[in-house]
Amino acid sequence: MTALLAATGSSWSVSLYIIACAALTFVALATIKERFQRDLYETSDAPARRELTAG
């Protein structure tokens, strides 16, 4: 951000950069699915098909 301030000479560019990062973070958090107490190794929302192996 120091380079942004040096390039533009104004703190407004740094402020807009931080606001853009916050907006991007908000969109990312709003669109992810909740995974609480779910198997993180599942690749889809379909029920897990577990295969039993002998041995």
Side-chain angles (χ1 to χ4, degrees):
M1 285 191 263
T2 305
L4 188 59
L5 181 60
T8 60
S10 174
S11 63
W12 280 102
S13 59
V14 177
S15 300
L16 292 176
Y17 176 78
I18 292 173
I19 290 170
C21 288
L24 180 64
T25 301
F26 177 76
V27 169
L29 288 175
T31 58
I32 62 173
K33 293 182 179 180
E34 179 63 46
R35 296 291 183 195
F36 181 68
Q37 291 185 348
R38 289 192 184 173
D39 186 9
L40 296 178
Y41 294 106
E42 291 296 320
T43 58
S44 67
D45 290 333
R49 186 185 312 174
R50 301 186 190 270
E51 297 178 11
L52 299 176
T53 58

